[in-house]
Amino acid sequence: EVQLLASGGGLVQPGGSLRLSCAASGFTFSNYAMTWVRQAPGKGLEWVSSITGGGGGTYYTDSVKGRFTVSRDNSKSTLYLQMNSLRAEDTAVYYCAMWGQNGDYLYWGQGTLVTVSS
Amino acid sequence: DIVMTQTPLSSPVTLGQPASISCRSSQSIVHNDGNTYLSWLQQRPGQPPRLLIYKISNRFSGVPDRFSGSGAGTDFTLKISRVEGEDVGVYYCMQATQFPHTFGPGTKVDI
């Protein structure tokens, strides 16, 4: 059974940092690209970042470029999102998702809430 | 960026009756490899999204056959042949043909 367990969210002041983790199990982690998607309270879904299976390719939405860094440790089957210079508009539930070869987000984690507020 | 729009944004439905959601992309989402990476996701209240349909019309594992997808180019449709109570939630179309991947605003389906 595929499981994606996101963690690391919390309350942080504007300008602060957080590192999210997504522990994967039930599949060969290195064979799949992975994605972070966020959802602000009461809002829709927004793609944040993706990373290829080997980690050599990374992609970001414009609003987080230069502030967020996606990475992965295939030996630990874990995906990360380092978030720096956080802003109020980054407040959201952050989901990790498995990005399949059919351009689909096959499985999603339960999400971790990031709140940026003073 | 490719903008995804959905209609309607809200859809009251009757149990056992059909429902349909339209999705339109601001430009063609046919990839250079010939595939159209258009998916449909369902998000039940308090839950993460769940994949229903990929590449326009392919049902994901475990998805009931009352869900079907169709379309081409820039216009796509999700149909529920007979709505059941567990279908309540928000439905999103998304494109993964090019970065940034983008989602529609969501269509809320309620009874």
Side-chain angles (χ1 to χ4, degrees):
Chain A
E1 178 192 6
V2 171
Q3 289 195 328
L4 298 170
L5 186 60
S7 61
L11 175 63
V12 61
Q13 292 188 340
S17 298
L18 276 178
R19 189 176 84 153
L20 306 184
S21 299
C22 174
S25 61
F27 65 102
T28 304
F29 184 67
S30 59
N31 285 354
Y32 288 88
M34 297 293 293
T35 283
W36 289 99
V37 173
R38 66 185 178 185
Q39 186 170 36
K43 302 297 184 182
L45 302 170
E46 179 188 22
W47 172 77
V48 175
S49 179
S50 296
I51 185 168
T52 56
T58 57
Y59 311 88
Y60 301 93
T61 191
D62 283 349
S63 64
V64 309
K65 281 179 184 174
R67 300 189 299 123
F68 289 12
T69 302
V70 64
S71 63
R72 62 193 297 159
D73 185 337
N74 286 344
S75 69
K76 296 181 178 179
S77 295
T78 302
L79 172 72
Y80 302 101
L81 186 67
Q82 178 67 45
M83 304 187 296
N84 299 330
S85 303
L86 283 161
R87 306 167 180 167
E89 55 264 36
D90 296 318
T91 294
V93 173
Y94 285 72
Y95 296 103
C96 55
M98 180 182 170
W99 180 21
Q101 294 179 353
N102 290 313
D104 44 4
Y105 293 174
L106 293 162
Y107 295 99
W108 296 63
Q110 86 291 354
T112 186
L113 176 62
V114 172
T115 303
V116 184
S117 174
S118 55
Chain B
D1 297 2
I2 296 174
V3 176
M4 307 298 289
T5 56
Q6 291 180 228
T7 55
L9 296 182
S10 180
S11 178
V13 297
T14 302
L15 292 177
Q17 293 300 304
S20 179
I21 301 169
S22 295
C23 172
R24 177 168 290 180
S25 56
S26 60
Q27 63 191 77
S28 173
I29 54 173
V30 179
H31 194 275
N32 290 340
D33 64 9
N35 290 305
T36 302
Y37 296 113
L38 185 283
S39 300
W40 288 95
L41 305 163
Q42 175 196 59
Q43 187 173 30
R44 292 171 173 152
Q47 296 293 315
R50 164 200 177 199
L51 177 65
L52 294 177
I53 302 285
Y54 63 92
K55 286 201 298 186
I56 301 178
S57 60
N58 298 274
R59 268 190 307 277
F60 187 52
S61 174
V63 174
D65 61 7
R66 63 179 181 275
F67 291 94
S68 64
S70 63
T74 62
D75 289 286
F76 308 93
T77 302
L78 175 71
K79 291 183 179 179
I80 310 174
S81 59
R82 295 173 306 280
V83 173
E84 297 189 5
E86 65 180 15
D87 300 336
V88 166
V90 180
Y91 291 77
Y92 296 92
C93 60
M94 67 156 283
Q95 68 80 22
T97 292
Q98 69 174 240
F99 287 112
H101 294 176
T102 47
F103 297 86
T107 295
K108 186 175 182 180
V109 172
D110 54 18
I111 307 298

